[in-house]
Amino acid sequence: WGDCNGDGQVRVLDALVAAQHDSGQVILTADAFESCDVDDDGQVDMGDSEMLAQYAAGLAVDLTCCE
């Protein structure tokens, strides 16, 4: 979970992809959408982007919603 850009890692770029999707700049594939929806609410939005950014920065130890 959380690997929005498909590079095999969860990094700040994934948070950026989630934010770009939320703003309409990027359209995600079904697989990318599922990976980006880290709070599992059926949407990829700024909440997902924030969670991904915190995880990538080491401020969150895991993405607990997705274990």
Side-chain angles (χ1 to χ4, degrees):
W1 288 90
D3 181 17
C4 302
N5 66 359
D7 69 355
Q9 301 176 40
V10 178
R11 300 182 300 161
V12 72
L13 292 174
D14 298 300
L16 177 62
V17 170
Q20 288 174 326
H21 175 80
D22 186 47
S23 68
Q25 296 174 3
V26 170
I27 298 173
L28 298 172
T29 65
D31 288 340
F33 187 95
E34 186 176 340
S35 291
C36 278
D37 183 17
V38 294
D39 62 7
D40 203 27
D41 68 352
Q43 300 177 31
V44 174
D45 54 24
M46 291 308 290
D48 299 297
S49 180
E50 181 179 346
M51 290 175 67
L52 289 163
Q54 289 176 355
Y55 179 80
L59 301 175
V61 292
D62 60 21
L63 297 170
T64 57
C65 68
C66 307
E67 293 181 20

